[in-house]
């Protein structure tokens, strides 16, 4: 028992750095950062840190870890570790947020802005359809092993960029920009067929109103738009899973190249 305590005291700084990077990743990830009790998240982070610490602490890079004479130096290193963890976890969240844009575009085009709910991740109101798309993508992430991909990416970051030896470079910022642009493009791809169907229904409604002026265009148009929205959404919602998996794989590969360059 005394040997274990001495070993933990000797590697206390490494444990803090590993815990910081891991905790930041878990906080930024969907389905973990929001919706899970805080005590469960703390226990999960501590348990995973305990499993990773023995292998990370014995690596040669950890033997040359500098001594931190001031708390300011340690705080700067901890902040760097937190930024790396948030970079990994936010990759998935950015993709999900971009795909949720499709729900907002569809809702605005279909004239169904009244159906809004609270989003726990952003603490802001969003259309119910956008929230449903976000929950669907989160479920797809868990079913397709996206959480395991994030953990493997975290372990790879420890190999290429050991705790206490974080180096920031321009490629990281470019990776975030590419992730955001790809996520927005995915949202447009998901919403494109539904928006096209809604525009076609508006065109048909306009033609009917010109040929039959006695019909209440407002009532008929809202009903036709709602019907078109529900039918086309039910037919094309499955494409969300494929688009999300492709974007997630591309972002994981992009971050892997970032670690290689940083290492």
């Amino acid at each position: 028992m005394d040997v274990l305590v001495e070993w933990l005291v000797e590697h206390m700084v490494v444990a803090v750095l590993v815990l910081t990077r891991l905790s930041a990743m878990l906080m930024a990830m969907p389905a973990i950062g929001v919706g899970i009790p805080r005590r469960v998240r703390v226990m999960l982070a501590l348990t995973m840190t305990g499993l990773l610490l023995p292998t990370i602490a014995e690596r040669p890079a950890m033997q040359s870890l500098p001594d931190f004479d001031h708390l300011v130096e340690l705080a700067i290193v901890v902040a760097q570790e937190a930024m790396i963890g948030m970079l990994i976890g936010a990759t998935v969240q950015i993709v999900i947020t971009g795909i949720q844009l499709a729900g907002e575009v569809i809702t605005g085009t279909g004239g169904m802005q009244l159906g809004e709910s609270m989003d726990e991740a952003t603490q802001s109101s969003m259309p119910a359809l956008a929230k449903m798309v976000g929950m669907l993508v989160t479920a797809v992430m868990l079913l397709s092993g996206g959480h395991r991909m994030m953990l493997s990416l975290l372990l790879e970051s420890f190999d290429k960029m050991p705790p206490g030896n974080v180096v920031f470079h321009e490629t990281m910022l470019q990776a975030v920009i590419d992730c955001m642009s790809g996520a927005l493009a995915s949202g447009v791809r998901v919403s494109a067929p539904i928006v096209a169907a809604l525009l076609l229904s508006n065109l048909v409604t306009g033609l009917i109103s010109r040929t039959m002026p006695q019909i209440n265009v407002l009532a008929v148009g809202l009903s036709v738009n709602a019907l078109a929205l529900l039918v086309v959404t039910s037919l094309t919602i499955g494409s969300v899973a494929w688009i999300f998996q492709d974007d997630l794989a591309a972002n994981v590969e992009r971050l892997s190249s970032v670690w290689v360059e940083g290492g």
Side-chain angles (χ1 to χ4, degrees):
M1 188 66 181
D2 295 337
V3 177
L4 178 60
V5 173
E6 292 178 1
W7 187 88
L8 290 176
V9 172
E10 182 181 356
H11 298 87
M12 182 62 66
V13 176
V14 180
V16 171
L17 299 180
V18 173
L19 178 62
T20 301
R21 187 183 299 189
L22 177 61
S23 301
M25 186 198 72
L26 294 178
M27 289 176 59
M29 282 182 61
I32 297 179
V34 177
I36 294 181
R38 186 175 303 175
R39 294 181 180 179
V40 177
R41 283 181 286 173
V42 171
M43 290 300 300
L44 179 62
L46 291 176
T47 303
M48 295 179 65
T49 302
L51 295 175
L52 295 175
L53 183 59
T55 58
I56 296 176
E58 300 302 328
R59 293 177 179 175
M62 294 294 97
Q63 307 304 324
S64 59
L65 189 67
D67 296 330
F68 301 101
D69 299 329
H70 303 283
L71 290 178
V72 177
E73 298 178 356
L74 181 59
I76 293 175
V77 175
V78 169
Q80 293 176 343
E81 294 293 331
M83 293 179 66
I84 294 296
M86 291 184 65
L87 175 63
I88 300 174
T91 300
V92 186
Q93 186 61 55
I94 290 175
V95 176
I96 293 178
T97 303
I99 295 180
Q100 281 181 325
L101 175 66
E104 298 186 3
V105 172
I106 294 168
T107 302
T109 307
M112 302 180 65
Q113 293 89 341
L114 294 178
E116 293 189 352
S117 58
M118 180 65 65
D119 182 30
E120 293 83 3
T122 59
Q123 297 297 322
S124 60
S125 61
M126 68 166 43
L129 183 60
K131 186 176 181 180
M132 184 198 72
V133 171
M135 295 174 65
L136 175 62
V137 174
T138 303
V140 171
M141 182 200 71
L142 297 176
L143 292 175
S144 61
H147 56 293
R148 292 193 295 271
M149 296 175 64
M150 292 294 101
L151 291 178
S152 64
L153 190 60
L154 176 69
L155 295 177
E156 186 177 355
S157 71
F158 283 128
D159 290 330
K160 304 298 182 180
M161 197 174 294
N165 296 279
V166 174
V167 178
F168 293 99
H169 44 84
E170 185 180 355
T171 313
M172 293 183 179
L173 180 59
Q174 186 62 41
V176 175
I177 295 174
D178 293 341
C179 180
M180 295 178 65
S181 60
L184 292 177
S186 299
V188 174
R189 290 167 58 192
V190 172
S191 62
I194 305 173
V195 171
L198 291 174
L199 293 177
L200 181 60
S201 67
N202 289 331
L203 178 61
V204 172
T205 304
L207 293 176
I208 293 175
S209 66
R210 296 289 294 179
T211 56
M212 304 176 65
Q214 65 275 15
I215 296 179
N216 189 347
V217 180
L218 181 61
V220 174
L222 290 177
S223 301
V224 172
N225 282 348
L227 181 61
L229 188 150
L230 294 176
V231 171
V232 181
T233 300
S234 62
L235 294 176
T236 61
I237 196 66
S239 64
V240 174
W242 301 105
I243 293 175
F244 172 74
Q245 292 183 44
D246 293 341
D247 285 352
L248 181 61
N251 289 325
V252 169
E253 184 178 356
R254 188 179 296 115
L255 283 182
S256 297
S257 64
V258 169
W259 305 147
V260 172
E261 181 170 341

